[in-house]
Amino acid sequence: MHEEPILKVRNLRKQFGPGCSQCTNLDSNRLEKNYCTVCGTVYAVRDVSLDVYPGEILGIVGESGSGKSTLMQCLYFDTDVSSGEAYINTPVLAGFNVFDLSSQQKRSIRNHDYGMVYQNPVHGLKMNFSSVGNIAEKLIAAGNRNVGNMETTSKRLLDNVHIPLHRMKEEPRNFSGGMQQRVQIAKALSNNPPILFLDEVTTGLDLSVQANVLDLIKRIQRELGISMIVVSHDLAVIRMLADRTIVMLNGEIIEQGLTDQVLEDPQHAYTQQLVYSLL
């Protein structure tokens, strides 16, 4: 690939705790997995670097506590990073480390450049707003003021994710888990973001519903050419969606490559264990 990444992340670190002279260099023998036995600091994400290319789906896989969801929260500004850099390759943002921007500028990125679909729809939707109202909220945040346009856009998006239009004025709290996820996807797409984050979006859904949501994500990616980061502990999800895959353990990337390559010929003992536990 000769094109520039749409998102470039370098040495992202997120720690919970002050750190001490025994653990700040991260290769200390005082670290128990990603926990410092001296001062109690947890290094949830340890100097992670990654690239996401235009129109690519990057999968991030790892067990619970591996740091993959914390990484997503850092990238989406849901939590502050301890250190590191991230660059978004758009005309307005090129060259700026987005972690250094003001909270207002970060909010603008969330409104225009990023979409997010959370594992729990409660975090991504206002459950007491109608489905249309949820999408309108995102459109208004991105600067839209024309009510007619917003309603047209909302209908198109809900139709696109297979929400029956006669239910679009209903509140998502009346919907099944799979429908709530589809409304969340519609809302995340409303500002045509170049980058979409998907955090464990099929966890807790029935298998047939999972398959529908995954098909939808695949179709959207094909039609709109959006770059996506998909976090999952489920290798089947990663196998179906991701072009390239990163494997995380104890806050670090331990293996990465083309998805087929990582899953067919895992190099690291932990990845081997992950893959073989599926067979």
Side-chain angles (χ1 to χ4, degrees):
M1 283 189 188
H2 296 302
E3 57 191 340
E4 275 290 297
I6 181 78
L7 178 65
K8 191 189 288 186
V9 178
R10 293 294 176 267
N11 304 319
L12 193 160
R13 184 186 291 194
K14 176 63 179 176
Q15 67 191 66
F16 296 95
C20 67
S21 59
Q22 300 291 326
C23 67
T24 42
N25 64 354
L26 294 189
D27 51 9
S28 145
N29 55 8
R30 299 288 189 174
L31 281 182
E32 179 74 42
K33 294 189 171 175
N34 57 353
Y35 171 80
C36 175
T37 54
V38 179
C39 69
T41 294
V42 174
Y43 291 92
V45 180
R46 300 203 258 171
D47 293 350
V48 163
S49 297
L50 58 87
D51 293 325
V52 184
Y53 288 90
E56 164 182 65
I57 299 184
L58 178 70
I60 302 180
V61 70
E63 65 192 27
S64 186
S66 62
K68 57 192 190 305
S69 286
T70 304
L71 173 61
M72 286 285 251
Q73 288 162 11
C74 289
L75 293 175
Y76 194 62
F77 312 127
D78 276 339
T79 187
D80 290 332
V81 302
S82 302
S83 60
E85 300 170 11
Y87 300 94
I88 302 172
N89 188 17
T90 64
V92 177
L93 294 166
F96 289 101
N97 175 9
V98 296
F99 296 137
D100 288 342
L101 299 177
S102 69
S103 52
Q104 190 182 354
Q105 289 167 307
K106 288 175 179 172
R107 204 162 40 246
S108 172
I109 291 172
R110 281 170 56 134
N111 289 336
H112 294 95
D113 303 287
Y114 282 170
M116 174 63 132
V117 182
Y118 292 93
Q119 175 177 347
N120 186 340
V122 167
H123 297 139
L125 297 172
K126 288 199 161 63
M127 288 298 177
N128 55 346
F129 277 31
S130 68
S131 301
V132 169
N134 266 285
I135 294 172
E137 184 203 20
K138 179 93 174 174
L139 290 168
I140 289 165
N144 288 281
R145 294 291 177 267
N146 183 311
V147 175
N149 285 355
M150 286 194 281
E151 183 147 331
T152 306
T153 301
S154 300
K155 281 182 177 168
R156 177 176 54 76
L157 287 161
L158 290 170
D159 190 41
N160 204 6
V161 298
H162 308 309
I163 299 291
L165 291 184
H166 67 268
R167 300 193 68 181
M168 69 180 193
K169 296 277 168 68
E170 270 186 66
E171 299 165 1
R173 63 180 170 193
N174 300 334
F175 290 170
S176 67
M179 280 180 77
Q180 289 177 351
Q181 281 305 44
R182 299 207 304 270
V183 175
Q184 224 198 146
I185 291 169
K187 181 177 181 175
L189 291 173
S190 61
N191 55 352
N192 289 325
I195 302 165
L196 186 64
F197 300 111
L198 301 152
D199 190 7
E200 298 276 12
V201 289
T202 56
T203 305
L205 301 178
D206 294 345
L207 281 177
S208 62
V209 178
Q210 271 193 31
N212 286 339
V213 171
L214 293 175
D215 281 341
L216 172 66
I217 292 166
K218 221 28 194 170
R219 178 170 63 80
I220 285 167
Q221 199 276 334
R222 219 177 26 244
E223 289 172 7
L224 303 179
I226 296 178
S227 303
M228 299 186 184
I229 298 184
V230 177
V231 161
S232 184
H233 64 275
D234 185 342
L235 281 179
V237 169
I238 295 296
R239 184 188 289 271
M240 178 171 169
L241 292 180
D243 303 303
R244 281 189 308 123
T245 294
I246 282 171
V247 184
M248 287 186 73
L249 180 66
N250 300 327
E252 292 181 297
I253 293 176
I254 55 161
E255 186 160 350
Q256 57 183 311
L258 295 170
T259 301
D260 291 350
Q261 193 183 324
V262 170
L263 296 184
E264 301 300 326
D265 185 22
Q267 300 300 304
H268 192 281
Y270 171 72
T271 317
Q272 290 169 0
Q273 193 185 329
L274 261 187
V275 170
Y276 300 142
S277 67
L278 257 192
L279 303 178

